């Protein structure tokens, strides 16, 4: 299987099959990430498409991203931030009178976790974390990004990433007790590593 970098290089040469393979690899992860961030599946889908459009523009300008996976998530996060600053978003909030944190999770996200009660509780507990801690926990455990990649997505120092991850996991453990261990099954952490340091030096819960 071709690596992300090999696919992107082929895309830069105009390889349509490589583009389709890359979209197939990243569409669902980005959709899930944006749904968790926005709580709006339709808007999430719009922004997923915009992420791929921006990648194509980068390649057309011969500006291939050095680290493609964190670049994709950083673009997605920045699109969310731009949307929250937009007039369209403010108008929507005036109609709903609810901030994104207070809205119900849409059905597509609920379906992902409907058979996993512990995971539902984790999603709820995540909303109680400060924004940066929530982003780091989601990227690490739901999307399997390494700490260095998360550092690139959020553009903060590695030491700060580690500190926020550790603090966020401690808060989740206090809220959820043993159920916090379910995080290790949601995309990155492995049960056999629980309680042991990761390669990056931060212990799992």
């Amino acid at each position: 299987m071709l690596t992300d970098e090999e696919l992107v290089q082929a895309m830069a040469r105009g390889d349509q099959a490589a583009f389709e393979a890359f979209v197939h690899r990243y569409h669902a992860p980005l959709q899930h990430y944006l749904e968790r961030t926005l709580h709006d599946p339709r808007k999430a889908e719009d922004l997923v498409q915009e992420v791929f459009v921006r990648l194509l523009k980068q390649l057309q300008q011969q500006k291939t991203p050095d680290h493609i996976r964190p670049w994709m998530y950083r673009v997605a996060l920045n699109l969310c931030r731009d949307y929250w600053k937009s007039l369209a978003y403010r108008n929507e909030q005036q109609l709903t009178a609810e901030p994104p944190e207070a809205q119900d999770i849409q059905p597509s996200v609920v379906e992902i976790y409907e058979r996993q009660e512990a995971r539902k509780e984790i999603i709820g507990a995540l909303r109680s974390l400060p924004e940066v801690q929530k982003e780091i926990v989601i990227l690490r455990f739901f999307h399997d990004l390494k700490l260095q990649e998360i550092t690139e997505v959020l553009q903060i120092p590695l030491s700060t990433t580690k500190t926020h991850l550790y603090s966020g996991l401690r808060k989740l453990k206090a809220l959820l007790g043993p159920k916090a261990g379910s995080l290790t099954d949601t995309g990155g952490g492995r049960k056999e590593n629980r309680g042991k340091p990761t390669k990056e030096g931060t212990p799992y819960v």
Side-chain angles (χ1 to χ4, degrees), residues 16-87:
Q16 181 64 26
F19 175 71
E20 292 174 0
F22 189 83
V23 170
H24 178 75
R25 183 176 297 180
Y26 273 100
H27 186 279
L30 286 172
Q31 178 78 22
H32 294 162
Y33 171 67
L34 286 166
E35 284 183 5
R36 290 188 186 102
T37 303
L38 297 169
H39 310 300
D40 183 340
R42 287 177 294 182
K43 188 62 182 180
E45 177 61 31
D46 291 342
L47 295 191
V48 169
Q49 300 302 323
E50 182 61 24
V51 172
F52 290 118
V53 167
R54 294 201 178 191
L55 175 60
L56 289 176
K57 288 180 179 179
Q58 285 280 113
L59 298 179
Q60 290 170 356
Q61 297 171 4
Q62 298 183 336
K63 297 178 180 179
T64 304
D66 292 331
H67 303 98
I68 186 62
R69 184 162 71 155
W71 184 89
M72 297 283 287
Y73 280 92
R74 184 169 68 250
V75 170
L77 178 59
N78 287 338
L79 286 171
C80 289
R81 290 170 173 170
D82 289 344
Y83 170 60
W84 288 327
K85 295 176 184 177
S86 69
L87 179 60

Side-chain angles (χ1 to χ4, degrees), residues 110-122:
V110 172
E111 290 168 3
I112 296 170
Y113 296 102
E114 63 184 356
R115 298 178 183 176
Q116 303 288 345
E117 288 300 322
R119 292 186 182 187
K120 288 182 182 180
E121 292 187 34
I122 289 172

Side-chain angles (χ1 to χ4, degrees), residues 1 10 14-15 35 46 53 55 71 74 78 88 92 113 133 141 163-164 177 183 190-191 197 204:
M1 184 173 65
D15 189 327
E35 284 183 5
D46 291 342
V53 167
L55 175 60
W71 184 89
R74 184 169 68 250
N78 287 338
E92 289 172 8
Y113 296 102
Q133 292 179 10
F141 290 99
T163 298
H164 281 307
L183 274 172
R190 297 180 179 177
K191 285 186 177 180
Y204 289 105

Side-chain angles (χ1 to χ4, degrees), residues 143-155:
H143 297 278
D144 200 22
L145 268 67
K146 298 177 182 178
L147 291 186
Q148 183 58 50
E149 292 178 317
I150 296 172
T151 292
E152 294 179 34
V153 172
L154 300 179
Q155 297 182 306

